[in-house]
Amino acid sequence: MSHDVTQSPPRRRVWRGRLIALLFSLAFTWLLIEVALRLAFEYLPPKVQGDIQGVRRVPWSETPIVPPMPFTIDRDFQVRLPVGLVDYPVRWSDARFNFNTISAWEGHRAGLRSDPPEWALDILTFGDSFTFCWTAWEQCWVETLDIEGGWNVFNAAIPGTGTTAQLNLMKELAPPWKPALVVWAWYNNDLSDNYDLARIRDEVGELPGAPADDPVAPPSGLGQFSALAQLINANVSPPPRLTPFKHYETVLVNGRRLLVHTNEYPYATVIDAYPRTQYGWERGIAAQAEGQDLVKAWGGRLLIVVIPTKEEAYAEFLTEAVGQAYLDQMAISRERLLAECEVRGWLCLDTLPAFREAIRRGQTIYYGFDSHLDSSGNRLLAEMVEAYIAENQFIPKR
């Protein structure tokens, strides 16, 4: 009996074919996952977004999935955004929005998130990201004052800046426009920002400060190009902790997961704890005093809006998780600023009581994971500022 060997290929060839098919299947599946992670990015959990947002959108371009904020270091304003941005995306944790920037007038270098100014200007706002607004523009408390409050409002907030930088911008914009009211928002990281600007300007040497969060390393190796590889790296081999502190805690509040900072964060606001925060506090108070004199020169008024941290606003829900001592430390700089307002006769609006009451009623006010005000917090802040202006009869509505 004879066998026709041509009818059964060698076993080696069969396994080679199977291996090629398997590799092709794996490569195709990997490619599908890469495409899916990018297309579905908006709907991914915040942590997954954070893990992969620095991966290249396409392999042949260095542009990441989420572009970083396009800041330029500025000796006057600390940082600034370019003029003329259109629909620039921000995807920070569970905060997602796009923004545009314009200039205050032709040739001014700071990109600002505002409608063009209308005359006569009633309100000019300054601050950091809480006034820039970490929401869609139509949800921003400044825009609500303009549209629903019935005043001409221009927003001169720049994210990532502190009190001293904001004063420098105020000196450039406010005297030519002479607004009836300047609304100047304060947040407790202004202390460290004031120090940072002084370092940029070589006005102070290196001072000891609070422990910082561990730096987040950019994607490397295959993770630069592959979202799946970066996701695996971030979860299988997370970067080592360089500080001895526990950095974050998640707490269930009103049926929603809340991410809070723990341990090292409050020390950045304890004025007497470190030379860096002491320096930032003193520079901030001096800047606010100078701002008061500046606005009074044309007969305007200045209102300081004091914005608490998410941890302070949710304090009664967090005591068991993070401890009362932590919450007490978090409040030090805000409480001392309000005391300064009382002593100096400044107009200051403490937003904390209203925020806490709204949270008790089930409103969110802040994002669950991001630290900024969400749309409900912006709405409440607009209502509070509008009521304060109306109660004190600062500006008649148009």
Side-chain angles (χ1 to χ4, degrees):
M1 182 182 295
S2 63
H3 297 278
D4 186 357
V5 295
T6 62
Q7 298 301 315
S8 53
R11 183 168 302 206
R12 222 171 12 184
R13 191 180 304 171
V14 173
W15 281 107
R16 185 188 308 148
R18 290 176 179 175
L19 181 60
I20 291 173
L22 177 62
L23 292 175
F24 177 81
S25 176
L26 290 174
F28 185 71
T29 301
W30 190 291
L31 179 62
L32 286 179
I33 294 173
E34 292 291 337
V35 172
L37 287 172
R38 287 160 170 80
L39 292 178
F41 183 85
E42 299 283 353
Y43 308 100
L44 297 175
K47 184 184 183 306
V48 175
Q49 290 189 10
D51 288 341
I52 68 172
Q53 63 182 4
V55 177
R56 295 186 181 192
R57 182 174 292 275
V58 291
W60 55 86
S61 170
E62 294 186 3
T63 303
I65 293 175
V66 177
M69 290 291 281
F71 286 129
T72 297
I73 300 297
D74 190 286
R75 283 183 56 83
D76 295 317
F77 310 147
Q78 189 174 341
V79 294
R80 56 183 164 85
L81 293 167
V83 175
L85 294 176
V86 177
D87 284 336
Y88 197 88
V90 174
R91 304 294 184 269
W92 283 31
S93 191
D94 50 345
R96 304 177 179 95
F97 63 95
N98 293 20
F99 69 89
N100 305 333
T101 59
I102 64 172
S103 59
W105 52 71
E106 186 175 355
H108 195 271
R109 66 188 184 280
L112 303 172
R113 191 186 192 197
S114 180
D115 296 324
E118 298 182 31
W119 313 111
L121 190 65
D122 298 311
I123 302 173
L124 182 57
T125 60
F126 294 91
D128 60 9
S129 51
F130 282 85
T131 309
F132 184 86
C133 293
W134 235 233
T135 61
W137 178 237
E138 60 271 15
Q139 298 170 340
C140 176
W141 66 271
V142 179
E143 175 69 352
T144 301
L145 283 181
D146 186 287
I147 299 301
E148 299 184 16
W151 294 296
N152 293 336
V153 184
F154 187 85
N155 187 17
I158 300 179
T161 62
T163 314
T164 50
Q166 293 152 18
L167 174 66
N168 290 336
L169 182 59
M170 189 185 301
K171 289 178 179 177
E172 292 189 12
L173 301 189
W177 287 349
K178 296 179 172 57
L181 178 67
V182 171
V183 177
W184 196 358
W186 177 93
Y187 188 72
N188 67 9
N189 62 7
D190 282 7
L191 277 64
S192 57
D193 284 325
N194 295 338
Y195 168 78
D196 290 341
L197 177 61
R199 289 288 289 153
I200 291 171
R201 296 168 65 92
D202 296 320
E203 295 173 345
V204 66
E206 183 68 30
L207 297 176
D213 286 346
D214 289 328
V216 178
S220 60
L222 183 59
Q224 299 177 71
F225 310 93
S226 167
L228 181 55
Q230 177 61 17
L231 197 59
I232 294 171
N233 290 340
N235 289 275
V236 174
S237 301
R241 291 295 189 191
L242 303 178
T243 61
F245 299 101
K246 183 178 180 182
H247 289 269
Y248 302 103
E249 185 79 29
T250 56
V251 182
L252 190 65
V253 179
N254 295 336
R256 182 178 72 142
R257 279 285 167 193
L258 198 72
L259 181 69
V260 297
H261 292 77
T262 62
N263 295 89
E264 79 279 15
Y265 184 68
Y267 294 103
T269 71
V270 179
I271 298 168
D272 302 323
Y274 296 96
R276 184 176 299 186
T277 48
Q278 179 67 41
Y279 179 89
W281 165 260
E282 293 172 356
R283 291 297 296 266
I285 289 296
Q288 287 167 326
E290 187 174 350
Q292 296 283 344
D293 294 338
L294 178 72
V295 177
K296 286 178 183 176
W298 64 81
R301 290 185 173 91
L302 190 151
L303 171 63
I304 297 174
V305 175
V306 183
I307 300 177
T309 62
K310 177 170 66 175
E311 290 77 13
E312 291 177 87
Y314 276 87
E316 64 187 79
F317 299 94
L318 303 179
T319 305
E320 183 178 347
V322 301
Q324 189 61 49
Y326 157 83
L327 297 169
D328 292 342
Q329 291 165 345
M330 186 70 78
I332 288 176
S333 58
R334 180 188 55 80
E335 291 176 346
R336 193 175 293 189
L337 175 58
L338 291 171
E340 287 283 339
C341 293
E342 185 71 23
V343 170
R344 295 172 181 257
W346 294 346
L347 299 173
C348 295
L349 175 60
D350 181 12
T351 59
L352 179 59
F355 283 3
R356 283 180 170 171
E357 180 58 33
I359 289 168
R360 292 188 192 105
R361 297 195 305 266
Q363 294 187 47
T364 53
I365 305 300
Y366 292 79
Y367 288 104
F369 285 78
D370 188 81
S371 60
H372 292 88
L373 299 177
D374 63 12
S375 58
S376 70
N378 273 267
R379 162 62 64 177
L380 179 56
L381 182 55
E383 292 172 355
M384 294 174 64
V385 174
E386 181 179 354
Y388 191 92
I389 294 172
E391 180 182 350
N392 292 277
Q393 300 181 341
F394 289 155
I395 320 167
K397 291 193 175 183
R398 295 185 179 277

